[in-house]
Amino acid sequence: MRGKFENDFTLNVCQSKLKRAKCMIIEKLEGSFIEKYNKLEAYAQEIRSSNPGSDVVINISKDALAKRKRNFLSMYLCFVALKKGWKCGLRPLIGVDSTFLKGRCKGMLLVALGQDFMNSFYTLAWAIVDKETSRTWSWFMELLKRS
């Protein structure tokens, strides 16, 4: 990108300025991710009302709430249709796995999977957490057991 600016506009721009400009443009086009995190509770409420029986849990930092800020910690989702589908026709086995989230917002994605009789995987529930620890896995497994 730097070479294109130098050739097309005869400008000498440093790499850090290009990065800042790119971030500003992306934020204007997509909106701030902070604004989107603030809409999570409305999203959860919409899931609860449109899919009765679905489990949605959002954890927000208590310290941040005391300061009138919303600091996202974790989110768990399990749709009622996925629960019913697993109970009706999948093998009585649940596998769990995790992966890194590598976008603007870092974290871990925890997933519970079922498998049908044709060896295809079936997502049952998932959670987004800040770190993969025994505490977050216990929290995820407890919510999965309740679902």
Side-chain angles (χ1 to χ4, degrees):
M1 189 155 94
R2 185 175 177 188
K4 185 159 178 64
F5 270 103
E6 287 176 353
N7 292 339
D8 293 353
F9 302 107
T10 60
L11 292 173
N12 187 13
V13 183
C14 67
Q15 195 69 28
S16 62
K17 281 187 181 181
L18 288 173
K19 265 190 171 178
R20 282 196 311 267
K22 181 180 176 183
C23 287
M24 288 170 56
I25 290 168
I26 289 173
E27 189 168 319
K28 281 191 176 191
L29 290 174
E30 296 179 356
S32 169
F33 68 93
I34 294 170
E35 293 171 16
K36 292 178 181 164
Y37 272 110
N38 287 332
K39 294 179 181 178
L40 271 178
E41 195 58 48
Y43 174 66
Q45 194 56 42
E46 184 63 32
I47 290 173
R48 288 182 193 112
S49 64
S50 63
N51 296 291
S54 295
D55 299 320
V56 183
V57 177
I58 297 176
N59 290 334
I60 297 170
S61 171
K62 291 181 176 111
D63 298 333
L65 282 177
K67 297 174 186 173
R68 296 190 180 266
K69 293 182 180 177
R70 298 175 64 84
N71 189 11
F72 174 80
L73 293 177
S74 57
M75 179 176 179
Y76 171 83
L77 253 163
C78 182
F79 289 105
V80 69
L82 299 176
K83 289 190 269 188
K84 288 180 181 177
W86 180 74
K87 289 177 183 176
C88 289
L90 296 181
R91 294 178 179 164
L93 176 71
I94 295 176
V96 292
D97 198 6
S98 67
T99 187
F100 294 102
L101 297 175
K102 296 182 179 182
R104 283 178 82 181
C105 304
K106 309 288 188 236
M108 296 293 294
L109 176 68
L110 309 178
V111 182
L113 301 167
Q115 193 173 28
D116 66 9
F117 292 100
M118 296 179 63
N119 294 330
S120 297
F121 289 107
Y122 186 88
T123 306
L124 299 173
W126 60 93
I128 298 170
V129 295
D130 54 347
K131 297 175 190 167
E132 184 180 16
T133 62
S134 58
R135 183 184 57 79
T136 56
W137 271 112
S138 297
W139 171 78
F140 179 67
M141 296 305 283
E142 186 62 37
L143 289 171
L144 184 62
K145 192 167 42 171
R146 276 194 249 150
S147 293

